[in-house]
Structures are given as C-alpha cells and as structure tokens.
Amino acid sequence: MKSWIILAALLLLAPAAVHAQGVTTSSIWGKVTDQQGTSLPGANIVATHLPSGSEYGTISDLDGNFRIPNMRVGGPYEVVISYVGFESYTQNGITLVLGQSHAIGAMLSESAVLLDEVTVIGLGGVFDADRTGIASNIDEQLIQVAPSMGRDIADFARLTPQAYVINDDDDGPAISIAGQNNRFNTIYIDGAVNNDVFGLSAQGTNGGQTGATPISIDAIEEFQINIAPFDVTQSGFTGGAINAITRSGTNVFEGSAYYYLRNQTLVGKTPTSDPTLTRERLADFSNQRYGIRLGGPIVKNKLFFFASGELLRSESPRPFNAGEYRGASASRLAEIQTVLQNELGYDAGDFGAKAASLDDNKLLGKIDWNISRDHKLSLRHSYSQSDNTDEFASTASTINFRNNGIIFPNTTNSTTMELNSLFGTRVANKLLLGYTRVKDDRGVAGRPFPSVSITDGAGSISLGPEPFSTANLLEQDIFTITNNLNLFSGRHTFTLGTHNEFY
C-alpha cells in the first residue's frame, strides 16, 4: 500500500518538464517447466551476485514465468531454481549488461530421475527483452583495453558506429550521435542528469567549459549508449542517451593506483605537406594524471563502500615566433610592454610563446546497502573542481599579450540516491533522486585593466582583459525525481512511472 501512496505523490509532480531518464540496472526473466513442458508455478528463484553476496529472489507465477528487475550490473551471478519434488536447476557465470534483460529457460526433472545435463530452452527472438533497440554497451573489460587519449566519455562513445566525435582544443571533444548536434544528447551518471543543461559546453557535460570531465573513467563500471530504444522509460532525446554507472564495493577489498604522462617526447613531429620542409618537434607540453580507487565491504554481504580520486595537471603550448609577425618588430612590442609596466603599473604579460593550463580534481564516494533480499539502496556523491587558464595564441597577423586570457573556474557537486524494491512476485519499484549543483565563473588572467586593441598595419595588437565573457557567472541547480513501478502479468510487464527534472 505504501508503494502506491509514494507513486501517487510523485505523479502529482507531473507539471514539471518530463525528459529522458537514466538506466542504472539490469534484470533476469524466464520460465520454469517440467520435462513435458508443463509450467511449474511457485518455483523458488534465487539469484546471487557472487562478488558481493547480494541476493535477489522471487517465485514463478501460475504460468511458470518469473522476473527479477532492478538488479546490480555485472557478475558473475549464480541462479538457483528449486521446486518441491524436482531436482534444482543451477546456472553459473551469468553477467548482466546495463539496460538489458537476461533470459533463462529452465526445464526441471523429477527428483527420482537422474540427468547428466540440464536442457536450457532459448527464449530469444527477433523482438524480445534481450533486444531493446539500437544501443551499444561498453563494459568494464572494454573500458580497460580500449585506447584512450583523454580518458573521457568521448573516447568510449566513439566505439559506437553512429557516433562522431569532434575535438575542440578549449572545451574538449563534442559527441554527435545519429548526426545530431551534441546538445541533443542526454548524459546520465547513476541515473542523475550530468549533461550541460544550459548548453555552453562543447562536451555537453557539467564543467565542460573548462575542458574537464565530470567523473573519473576509473570510477565507471559500464557505459550504455542508446540511440533508438524500445523502452518507454528512455525518451526525450534526438541524438543519444549516454548512461554510465559507477563501480560498487564487493566482499573483497579491491583498488588500484595509476599515473599517466604525455609530453612532447611521446608524440610525433609537426606534420607537413611539403616534403622539402623539416619536421620539427612539438613545443613542450605536459599532461599528468594521478588516480586511486578502493572498494570493499563494511559489513560482509550487507554494506559496501567505493571511493575514488583523480588529479589532472595539464599544460598545452601556444607556440609563436615573434619574427613571423607582419607588424611591429619584437623590440617595439617589448617597448609597449615596458611602458605599460613603468608608466601605468600594469603587467600585460608576454606576447610570445605561452601555455594554456588545466587543473582538475575529482572525488567520488559511494555506499551500497543490501537492506534485504527485496530492497537495495545506493547512495553516491561526486565532486569535481577545475580551473582552466585559456591563453590566446599570437599569430602572424595578431599579437595577444598573455593577460588578455581568460580563467574558467568550475565546481560541480552531484548526489544520487536509488532504492530498488520488490513487493511479492508481481510488483517492483525503482525510486531515484538526484541533485546536481554546478557553478561556472570566468575571470581575467591578470589584473583588471581596460581592453586595448591597436591597429598595426597588416597586423593587430590586443592587450588587457577580454572585454565580454569575463562578466559571466552561471550557477545551476538540477533536481531529478524518477519513479518506475513495474506490474507483472504473465510474460507482460506494465510500467507506470514519472520522470521529472527541476532546473
């Protein structure tokens, strides 16, 4: 009765905008029969996630059908099906895929008969619960072995044939799916909204204006990229829905530490289409990433934790040879710099080679609680803080002094709570609450000063702060409320639910 009261209360929130919702779990379904194909109602089904000891259970209905929704992704699982007077059926090594449903068909023999093997009935077809539309799943193993330059979502989205990634030096990679603009995608982490709702970031993620990513890839267990799903709960996008779920602790303490380094000695020389020109080594740059994660039990088979942290320190070169400039000489440009310093006390910064920088810090903590066989609770909080100093490069036609660059600071906090419940054999419920707060600011690279532009014959000179965007301040609060109630009847599932985003 309480579940219906909760659902009714959530449905009263319907005036809020309804969009897509994230996928966070998997499920098992199937049918239990005897050797003559007769349905066995009341068979007991227990699925155990072996690494954590998490148990899920149900019984078959009058037609022998059963289903266990809202299960933890991954595995291996052990499924045991028992019925009075019959030999138990056991299936091991099951791995559940995010957003998919695993089918099991079990034929049980009477206990007086000894069988050397168990016959498994295939329930799959052209359209069934194992085929839920055009989608790509990227599991933990593929995440570990796939090449990744930026260790961001785009590196793995490009494994989807319908995805095209456009690289942007400032904001990071933009993901186009099914030919749509990247702002038509939705991005969910543990079911909570993590795409840039305001729409300024090329990446389409929170904090994307700085070029930082919202979460460490080492904290991700699995991705799913949906393009045309059949599931009624997945809608509201015309590009793709990118779902990511984070790791959880198990009964074994497990962790990792890592360090990645890229610099000018690890890349090729400058490409050229003229074979007579000498290829030169790239200007000095540095990209260093440090990370650590740890997960394990607080109470064995009952309560688990997972935590991860990652630091990124990156410098990208903005090379320039003053002799290439078509206007004033290098000594004349240096004179401008000196006069500003001596006469006005303003340091305009260097006008030659510069370097943009990005400092990014990420923390994530997660608690998973097996309240009982029928109720599972998960709580996760992630924190990301990044600072990007965007330096404008000088060119043959334009001189940019260093302090006309822009500083982008970003802070993102995201919290999700998910409760998965079974009520008997015919009702299941998933409640997901999410809150994300994003703060984007912009500042001047140097001291406040008027913005100055000088026409210099065939060239131009810019100094002082960039005049427009440094006044911008953007603060966002996004609340997500999702509740899906599943009613089971035979081989059919009826879903009643609501998904709301308050922005």
Side-chain angles (χ1 to χ4, degrees):
M1 183 65 183
K2 289 183 179 179
S3 65
W4 289 98
I5 295 174
I6 293 172
L7 176 63
L10 290 173
L11 288 174
L12 292 177
L13 302 173
V18 178
H19 302 287
Q21 54 185 282
V23 177
T24 60
T25 56
S26 297
S27 62
I28 288 177
W29 70 284
K31 187 170 185 176
V32 184
T33 65
D34 61 15
Q35 289 181 297
Q36 287 71 44
T38 303
S39 300
L40 296 178
N44 189 51
I45 299 97
V46 177
T48 304
H49 182 258
L50 297 180
S52 67
S54 302
E55 287 190 353
Y56 303 82
T58 188
I59 61 174
S60 58
D61 60 19
L62 292 175
D63 297 317
N65 297 308
F66 69 89
R67 57 196 53 74
I68 307 176
N70 303 332
M71 297 177 68
R72 180 170 172 168
V73 171
Y77 273 88
E78 179 185 72
V79 176
V80 178
I81 301 174
S82 57
Y83 193 78
V84 176
F86 287 78
E87 296 286 343
S88 295
Y89 164 81
T90 301
Q91 185 171 340
N92 290 295
I94 297 174
T95 299
L96 299 185
V97 178
L98 178 63
Q100 303 292 324
S101 185
H102 184 85
I104 296 177
M107 180 184 293
L108 275 60
S109 61
E110 294 186 21
S111 56
V113 180
L114 178 64
L115 294 181
D116 293 328
E117 61 184 33
V118 175
T119 303
V120 178
I121 303 171
L123 299 179
V126 176
F127 293 99
D128 59 34
D130 288 329
R131 297 173 59 89
T132 57
I134 302 174
S136 296
N137 281 78
I138 301 160
D139 59 19
E140 182 180 354
Q141 182 178 1
L142 185 54
I143 291 174
Q144 294 296 325
V145 302
S148 174
M149 293 295 290
R151 290 185 63 79
D152 52 37
I153 293 174
D155 281 339
F156 302 95
R158 71 177 78 235
L159 299 176
T160 300
Q162 296 85 357
Y164 176 69
V165 177
I166 306 167
N167 289 311
D168 185 292
D169 289 338
D170 295 328
D171 287 3
I175 306 170
S176 171
I177 299 177
Q180 300 298 316
N181 185 281
N182 66 295
R183 290 172 177 83
F184 292 150
N185 300 329
T186 59
I187 300 173
Y188 291 93
I189 298 177
D190 290 333
V193 179
N194 269 269
N195 51 303
D196 175 25
V197 183
F198 196 82
L200 292 178
S201 166
Q203 286 191 71
T205 58
N206 293 322
Q209 289 188 78
T210 67
T213 56
I215 195 169
S216 168
I217 291 298
D218 207 51
I220 297 294
E221 181 171 354
E222 189 169 339
F223 288 102
Q224 184 187 60
I225 300 174
N226 281 312
I227 300 168
F230 303 155
D231 189 348
V232 68
T233 65
Q234 301 180 51
S235 61
F237 58 90
T238 57
I242 302 174
N243 295 289
I245 58 170
T246 55
R247 295 175 184 263
S248 296
T250 65
N251 282 326
V252 177
F253 285 99
E254 181 185 13
S256 71
Y258 54 91
Y259 170 70
Y260 293 93
L261 168 67
R262 286 195 298 126
N263 60 24
Q264 68 282 354
T265 63
L266 299 175
V267 297
K269 294 183 177 180
T270 306
T272 175
S273 58
D274 188 346
T276 63
L277 297 178
T278 302
R279 298 178 63 187
E280 299 179 354
R281 195 186 73 176
L282 292 182
D284 291 353
F285 73 93
S286 175
N287 185 296
Q288 301 182 77
R289 193 182 301 267
Y290 313 79
I292 188 170
R293 65 175 168 86
L294 178 65
I298 300 174
V299 179
K300 189 174 181 180
N301 295 336
K302 194 75 173 178
L303 191 63
F304 310 92
F305 80 93
F306 174 81
S308 74
E310 183 175 279
L311 302 178
L312 172 66
R313 299 293 181 264
S314 176
E315 288 191 353
S316 303
R318 299 291 189 265
F320 175 67
N321 183 351
E324 299 174 356
Y325 179 55
R326 294 195 291 263
S329 64
S331 60
R332 185 64 168 166
L333 295 172
E335 184 179 351
I336 295 174
Q337 186 180 26
T338 302
V339 169
L340 287 170
Q341 181 68 61
N342 294 340
E343 299 294 332
L344 299 176
Y346 175 67
D347 181 9
D350 193 11
F351 58 84
K354 298 183 281 290
S357 65
L358 171 61
D359 292 344
D360 182 25
N361 309 306
K362 297 184 179 68
L363 292 172
L364 181 143
K366 187 177 183 182
I367 296 291
D368 290 277
W369 181 20
N370 294 332
I371 303 172
S372 67
R373 180 181 290 182
D374 295 332
H375 303 281
K376 308 288 190 296
L377 179 69
S378 178
L379 180 65
R380 187 266 301 168
H381 181 80
S382 61
Y383 166 82
S384 174
Q385 187 275 326
S386 56
D387 286 284
N388 175 288
T389 301
D390 191 4
E391 299 284 1
F392 301 117
S394 296
T395 67
S397 59
T398 303
I399 292 294
N400 286 302
F401 283 82
R402 178 185 299 276
N403 285 340
N404 73 337
I406 303 174
I407 295 177
F408 293 84
N410 167 269
T411 302
T412 300
N413 283 278
S414 178
T415 302
T416 62
M417 187 279 289
E418 181 177 342
L419 176 63
N420 293 304
S421 300
L422 282 172
F423 302 97
T425 62
R426 293 184 176 273
V427 180
N429 194 78
K430 175 191 285 189
L431 171 65
L432 192 148
L433 305 176
Y435 169 62
T436 300
R437 178 166 177 77
V438 187
K439 182 176 181 180
D440 287 298
D441 199 358
R442 301 195 188 191
V444 297
R447 199 164 56 81
F449 193 79
S451 178
V452 180
S453 296
I454 302 172
T455 300
D456 183 24
S460 64
I461 301 171
S462 295
L463 58 93
E466 191 271 337
F468 303 111
S469 66
T470 53
N472 291 355
L473 173 64
L474 175 62
E475 295 181 347
Q476 305 176 69
D477 293 279
I478 305 107
F479 296 88
T480 304
I481 300 177
T482 301
N483 196 84
N484 289 323
L485 183 71
N486 292 324
L487 306 175
F488 307 122
S489 177
R491 294 188 63 181
H492 302 285
T493 300
F494 298 92
T495 300
L496 303 175
T498 178
H499 174 79
N500 305 272
E501 295 173 18
F502 300 90
Y503 172 72

